């Protein structure tokens, strides 16, 4: 059991610092062993510390002492009587442990008698193996483990030339305690070599009966030795000496007493006493703290005064006075001191009622309280009546506040007290102009609102903040071009030239410089209005063509200059040329902000009917000859009111400013041959704006 206890101490000695009361593990174990010696229940020990570790050490050390005692009884039974079966009736834990130690000791003694080795290889368990080997070795001669090499051998092989010593010095022997040469291991006193020949184990002198403990003492095994301890502790105020005797502790000399500075320590057997340094005089007694307390002689002595006298205690003494008549409440002795008469409590400037009406009665008085007060018959004073508590909701419309002898009403926020002092009228807060712009009074409060173009502040609900109409989600659509915010409103702007603000103040309208006469075109040039400006263009008819005053193929939304063929007499090449007319037209377009579908921009109308005679094989073919940048345009043929029309469409978005000339052809085909052709040049001007 010795090695197990040492391991337990080592383990819990580390754990002791983890929390709880700071008490050493040795103190916890000592307390547990002492209680084990007293045969106390180890599972219900009184705790000496809040630490869980200390509680475990207490229980284990207590259990170890009990197990050692029980096991020793079993070993002694085996040694003295040589049998175990009939000596331990019952099946308790104690009897099982005692029987196990008894049986294991008999096993060791049997091995010794038969000459078998004590260190057998049977799997008996740790405690049974210890007991078996201890009883087997009991009585055998001690083995000297320190002198296994003779002096002669030492002289013969000294120093590094001795191979036996070299084997010890180079560490090959791997002995746990000592190496004595030739790889032989030895153990210190109190230990014996294990069967492996290298490690050592403790010899339990208490189990072997090899201790020299006296009667009344208990053998406790330790690593490599043992110690003797009294079976009965010395108790409080005593200490155990080296000679195992109990000696009184001199608390006064050692300074372990708790006497106050005004007290003197006096040692007694097993304890001490605190005596006060200062002595009290007559009429006083000293308490436990050394203070002098007056003695009430009237209570401490029997009749210190003569009959007919009363004892009156004084500080440090007493006096005797002649007995007098004791009048009851509301009465006092008359001037002669021989009769009790009524006291008029109502006399005096204030009387007994503190300003209220006072009525004297025989042996008493009564107060006539003012309005708002009530008479308390126990304390005999006029107390204020809390009208607000006695009549809740009946005195004031809103809030009632008690006052001394009365009450007063008040109103909640937004109201003012009416002239009757009870009801509340609505307060018109708008009269004090709390709002930055407009104020509307409501019952019990008010509401601020703002003029057009402003909004109420979310922070205080009082001030009005300008609404930035240009920053609203729809701000981009308020103005055609640019929006400028102003306090309470906004205004729209148009580009600097070519546009003017419409009557609605939001849209931008194109200025027709050609109509207003603000263009700069010469007399030889024609003015063509475009989005945001104008163009001065001059269209001359090619040779063999002349300008026509009327044209069949009209282009909507623009003016058209049309040149028709006019051949000279006998000009065969002119006559055979299929181009009958050359037209120029101008069209202005915005940059479409959202281009989602084709835009129809030019309509080429012909005079041909959609349903011609079935006997005549004729058709009109429309084509784009030049200027179709990135195939942004196409031309489709359809029927409108029975007439064939060619429609030029913008099929891809164009970003202005951009200028281009789209050259179109209307081919009149008869029996598969182009009979004649009309050429139309469309001058397209794309504005950078979307309006």
């Amino acid at each position: 059991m010795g090695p197990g206890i040492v391991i337990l101490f080592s383990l819990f000695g580390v754990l002791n610092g983890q929390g709880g009361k700071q008490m050493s593990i040795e103190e916890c174990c000592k307390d547990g062993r002492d209680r084990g010696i007293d045969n106390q229940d180890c599972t219900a020990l009184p705790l000496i510390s809040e630490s869980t570790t200390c509680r475990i050490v207490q229980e284990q050390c207590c259990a170890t002492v009990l197990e050692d005692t029980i096991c020793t009884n079993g070993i002694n039974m085996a040694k003295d009587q040589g049998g175990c079966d009939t000596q331990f009736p019952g099946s308790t834990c104690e009897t099982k442990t005692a029987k196990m130690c008894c049986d294991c000791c008999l096993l060791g003694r049997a091995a010794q008698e038969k000459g078998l080795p004590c260190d057998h290889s049977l799997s008996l368990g740790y405690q049974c193996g210890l007991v078996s080997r201890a009883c087997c070795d009991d009585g055998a001669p001690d083995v000297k483990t320190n002198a296994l090499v003779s002096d002669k051998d030492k002289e013969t092989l000294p120093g590094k030339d001795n191979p036996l010593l070299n084997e010890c010095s180079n560490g090959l022997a791997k002995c746990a305690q000592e190496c004595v040469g030739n790889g032989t291991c030895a153990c210190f006193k109190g230990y014996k070599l294990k069967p492996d020949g290298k490690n050592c184990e403790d010899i339990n002198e208490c189990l072997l009966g090899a201790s020299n403990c006296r009667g009344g003492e208990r053998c406790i095994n330790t690593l490599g030795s043992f110690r003797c301890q009294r079976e009965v502790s010395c108790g409080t105020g005593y200490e155990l000496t080296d000679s195992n005797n109990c000696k009184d502790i001199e608390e006064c000399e050692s300074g372990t007493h708790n006497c106050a500075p005004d007290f003197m320590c006096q040692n007694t057997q097993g304890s001490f006493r605190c005596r006060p340094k200062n002595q009290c005089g007559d009429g006083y007694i000293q308490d436990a703290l050394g203070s002098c307390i007056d003695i009430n002689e009237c209570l401490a002595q029997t009749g210190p005064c003569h009959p007919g006298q009363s004892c009156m205690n004084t500080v440090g003494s007493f006096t005797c006075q002649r007995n007098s008549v004791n009048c009851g409440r509301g009465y006092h002795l008359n001037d002669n001191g021989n009769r009790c008469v009524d006291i008029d409590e109502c006399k005096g400037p204030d009387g007994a009622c503190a300003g209220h009406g006072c009525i004297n009665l025989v042996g008493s008085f009564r107060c006539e309280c003012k309005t708002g007060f009530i008479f308390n018959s126990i304390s005999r004073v006029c107390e204020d009546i809390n009208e607000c508590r006695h009549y809740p909701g009946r005195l004031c419309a809103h809030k009632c506040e008690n006052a001394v002898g009365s009450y007063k009403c008040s109103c909640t926020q937004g109201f003012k007290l009416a002239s009757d002092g009870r009801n509340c009228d609505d307060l018109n807060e708008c009269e004090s102009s709390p709002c930055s712009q407009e104020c509307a009074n409501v019952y019990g409060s008010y509401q601020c609102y703002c003029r057009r173009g402003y909004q109420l502040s979310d922070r205080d609900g009082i001030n009005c903040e300008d609404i930035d109409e240009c920053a609203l989600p729809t701000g981009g659509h308020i103005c055609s071009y640019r929006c400028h915010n102003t306090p309470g409103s906004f205004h729209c702007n148009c580009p600097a030239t070519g546009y003017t603000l419409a009557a609605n103040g939001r849209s931008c309208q194109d200025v027709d410089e050609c109509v207003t006469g603000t263009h700069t075109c010469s007399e030889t040039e024609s003015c063509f209005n475009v989005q945001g400006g104008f163009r001065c263009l001059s269209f001359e008819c090619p040779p063999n063509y002349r300008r026509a005053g009327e044209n069949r193929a009209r282009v909507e939304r623009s003016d058209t200059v049309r040149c028709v063929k006019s051949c000279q007499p006998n000009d065969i090449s002119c006559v055979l040329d299929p181009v009958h007319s050359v037209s120029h037209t101008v069209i202005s377009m915005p940059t479409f902000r959202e281009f989602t579908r084709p835009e129809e921009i030019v309509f080429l109308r012909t005079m041909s009917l959609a349903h011609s005679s079935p006997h005549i094989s004729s058709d009109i073919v429309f084509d784009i000859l030049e200027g179709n940048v990135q195939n942004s345009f196409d031309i489709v043929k359809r029927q409108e009111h029975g007439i064939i029309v060619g429609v030029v469409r913008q099929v891809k978005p164009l970003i202005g400013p951009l200028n281009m000339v789209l050259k179109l052809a209307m081919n009149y085909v008869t029996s598969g041959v182009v009979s004649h052709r009309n050429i139309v040049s469309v001058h397209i001007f794309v504005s950078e704006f979307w309006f």
Side-chain angles (χ1 to χ4, degrees):
M1 297 303 291
I5 296 172
V6 173
I7 294 173
L8 183 67
F9 283 177
S10 175
L11 173 62
F12 288 110
V14 175
L15 295 176
N16 188 43
Q18 296 180 358
K21 182 180 179 181
Q22 296 298 325
M23 180 171 286
S24 66
I25 295 298
E26 288 76 9
E27 292 175 339
C28 299
C29 183
K30 181 179 181 302
D31 182 81
R33 296 184 65 87
D34 292 342
R35 298 182 186 279
I37 293 173
D38 295 338
N39 290 323
Q40 296 185 20
D41 185 2
C42 297
T43 61
L45 297 178
L47 300 181
I48 62 173
S49 172
E50 297 179 357
S51 170
T52 304
T53 303
C54 184
R55 176 185 61 77
I56 296 174
V57 171
Q58 274 185 277
E59 293 180 0
Q60 295 302 319
C61 290
C62 176
T64 301
V65 171
L66 293 179
E67 289 177 3
D68 284 348
T69 302
I70 295 169
C71 188
T72 301
N73 293 336
I75 294 173
N76 294 335
M77 185 69 69
K79 291 181 179 180
D80 297 340
Q81 301 183 14
C84 305
D85 295 336
T86 60
Q87 304 299 326
F88 303 101
S91 59
T92 63
C93 181
E94 291 81 0
T95 57
K96 289 181 179 180
T97 301
K99 189 173 185 305
M100 182 271 293
C101 291
C102 182
D103 290 339
C104 294
C105 183
L106 291 178
L107 182 61
R109 293 175 68 88
Q112 180 187 17
E113 292 174 358
K114 295 180 180 180
L116 299 175
C118 294
D119 293 327
H120 50 74
S121 60
L122 298 177
S123 300
L124 300 177
Y126 181 71
Q127 186 175 12
C128 184
L130 287 178
V131 173
S132 176
R133 286 193 296 272
C135 290
C136 180
D137 293 336
D138 187 17
D142 293 339
V143 180
K144 297 294 184 179
T145 58
N146 293 334
L148 297 181
V149 181
S150 64
D151 295 339
K152 182 178 180 181
D153 292 334
K154 294 180 183 178
E155 294 174 358
T156 305
L157 299 173
K160 65 180 181 178
D161 296 331
N162 190 337
L164 299 180
L165 295 178
N166 287 341
E167 187 173 358
C168 291
S169 61
N170 58 24
L172 294 177
K174 297 182 179 179
C175 296
Q177 292 188 358
E178 287 187 313
C179 180
V180 295
N182 194 22
T184 302
C185 297
C187 299
F188 300 142
K189 184 178 180 181
Y191 295 87
K192 63 180 178 180
L193 204 62
K194 284 188 174 182
D196 59 7
K198 296 184 181 297
N199 294 306
C200 298
E201 65 179 352
D202 173 57
I203 297 174
N204 193 332
E205 295 85 355
C206 299
L207 292 178
L208 296 176
S211 65
N212 56 355
C213 296
R214 299 174 297 180
E217 295 180 340
R218 177 179 181 78
C219 176
I220 299 176
N221 184 59
T222 60
L223 279 178
S225 182
F226 66 94
R227 62 185 178 87
C228 299
Q229 181 175 310
R230 286 172 53 93
E231 293 185 350
V232 180
S233 62
C234 292
T236 305
Y238 295 89
E239 61 182 351
L240 194 64
T241 63
D242 295 338
S243 60
N244 209 29
N245 295 321
C246 291
K247 176 185 176 184
D248 173 55
I249 298 174
E250 288 282 349
E251 294 86 356
C252 298
E253 294 182 2
S254 61
T256 58
H257 62 86
N258 57 355
C259 295
D262 295 335
F263 287 78
M264 177 176 57
C265 177
Q266 180 181 353
N267 186 65
T268 60
Q269 284 296 322
S271 184
F272 63 93
R273 294 288 183 271
C274 296
R275 305 293 185 188
K277 295 180 180 179
N278 299 326
Q279 300 298 324
C280 297
D282 295 337
Y284 294 91
I285 188 173
Q286 204 160 32
D287 61 4
L289 298 178
S291 302
C292 294
I293 301 174
D294 172 56
I295 299 174
N296 191 341
E297 294 86 355
C298 298
L299 298 177
Q301 302 180 18
T302 302
C305 297
H306 298 291
Q309 293 181 334
S310 298
C311 178
M312 301 292 293
N313 185 60
T314 59
V315 177
S317 183
F318 67 96
T319 59
C320 295
Q321 295 181 354
R322 190 176 67 176
N323 293 334
S324 60
V325 178
N326 185 18
C327 297
R329 181 178 179 181
Y331 296 88
H332 65 93
L333 285 174
N334 59 6
D335 295 338
N336 297 326
N338 56 5
R339 187 166 58 90
C340 293
V341 295
D342 173 57
I343 299 175
D344 189 355
E345 294 87 352
C346 297
K347 285 184 178 180
D350 295 330
C353 296
H356 296 269
C358 180
I359 299 176
N360 185 57
L361 302 175
V362 178
S364 181
F365 67 96
R366 179 168 57 85
C367 295
E368 292 289 343
C369 300
K370 299 178 182 178
T371 303
F373 294 86
I374 188 172
F375 183 68
N376 189 325
S377 59
I378 298 176
S379 61
R380 306 185 71 77
V381 295
C382 290
E383 296 179 345
D384 174 54
I385 298 175
N386 190 336
E387 295 85 356
C388 300
R389 184 181 300 172
H390 281 73
Y391 313 104
R394 295 164 58 185
L395 300 177
C396 301
H398 283 190
K399 294 189 295 184
C400 178
E401 299 177 11
N402 186 60
V404 178
S406 182
Y407 67 94
K408 63 179 180 177
C409 298
S410 60
C411 300
T412 56
Q413 186 176 1
F415 295 89
K416 61 182 179 179
L417 198 63
S419 57
D420 59 4
R422 296 179 57 186
N423 295 305
C424 294
D425 296 335
D426 175 53
L427 177 65
N428 189 355
E429 295 88 352
C430 295
E431 293 178 353
S432 61
S433 302
C435 303
S436 63
Q437 288 188 1
E438 303 297 333
C439 176
N441 185 61
V442 296
Y443 188 72
S445 184
Y446 66 96
Q447 179 64 48
C448 296
Y449 64 96
C450 303
R451 304 184 188 100
R452 183 177 180 180
Y454 294 87
Q455 63 182 358
L456 204 60
S457 172
D458 294 334
R459 295 189 298 272
D460 53 20
I462 295 177
N463 293 304
C464 292
E465 299 175 346
D466 173 53
I467 298 175
D468 189 353
E469 293 86 354
C470 302
L472 294 175
T474 59
H477 302 283
I478 292 179
C479 299
S480 297
Y481 183 53
R482 288 180 180 172
C483 177
H484 292 276
N485 185 61
T486 59
S489 184
F490 68 96
H491 68 268
C492 300
N493 288 341
C494 294
T497 59
Y499 293 91
T500 182
L501 195 63
N504 62 9
R506 298 187 180 187
S507 303
C508 291
Q509 292 180 341
D510 174 56
V511 177
D512 192 341
E513 294 86 355
C514 299
V515 174
T516 59
T518 57
H519 63 85
T520 58
C521 298
S522 64
E523 293 182 357
T524 61
E525 295 175 326
S526 297
C527 178
F528 290 90
N529 185 62
V530 296
Q531 295 284 339
F534 64 94
R535 293 292 184 273
C536 297
L537 302 176
S538 178
F539 298 117
E540 298 293 337
C541 293
N544 296 323
Y545 289 87
R546 63 177 176 82
R547 181 173 296 191
E550 190 70 24
N551 59 326
R552 293 182 179 275
R554 290 288 297 172
V555 181
E556 289 188 354
R557 297 184 297 175
S558 65
D559 295 329
T560 301
V561 176
R562 185 170 181 264
C563 299
V564 296
K565 186 165 67 172
S566 177
C567 297
Q568 299 295 326
N570 301 323
D571 191 348
I572 303 301
S573 60
C574 176
V575 174
L576 295 177
D577 187 358
V579 179
H580 281 197
S581 67
V582 176
S583 301
H584 294 272
T585 186
V586 178
I587 185 170
S588 178
M589 298 190 308
T591 296
F592 292 107
R593 187 160 53 180
E594 295 180 359
F595 191 87
T596 58
R597 58 184 179 83
E599 289 285 338
E600 299 177 350
I601 61 172
V602 178
F603 296 87
L604 302 177
R605 288 186 172 87
T606 68
M607 298 305 294
S608 299
L609 297 176
H611 302 286
S612 60
S613 175
H615 303 289
I616 301 175
S617 177
S618 63
D619 193 10
I620 298 178
V621 178
F622 298 95
D623 192 14
I624 300 176
L625 302 179
E626 296 177 2
N628 194 2
V629 179
Q630 297 180 357
N631 294 323
S632 300
F633 301 92
D634 68 357
I635 186 168
V636 296
K637 183 174 67 174
R638 69 185 181 204
Q639 302 173 11
E640 288 187 1
H641 307 292
I643 303 298
I644 296 176
V645 179
V647 181
V648 180
R649 303 184 306 172
Q650 179 185 346
V651 295
K652 290 184 179 180
L654 294 174
I655 308 300
L658 183 65
N659 301 333
M660 63 182 66
V661 179
L662 197 64
K663 190 173 183 179
L664 310 176
M666 292 188 299
N667 300 306
Y668 292 83
V669 180
T670 304
S671 298
V673 178
V674 177
S675 61
H676 64 276
R677 171 185 296 172
N678 293 334
I679 302 298
V680 179
S681 294
V682 181
H683 297 259
I684 301 174
F685 298 93
V686 181
S687 172
E688 63 178 306
F689 306 110
W690 63 272
F691 44 83

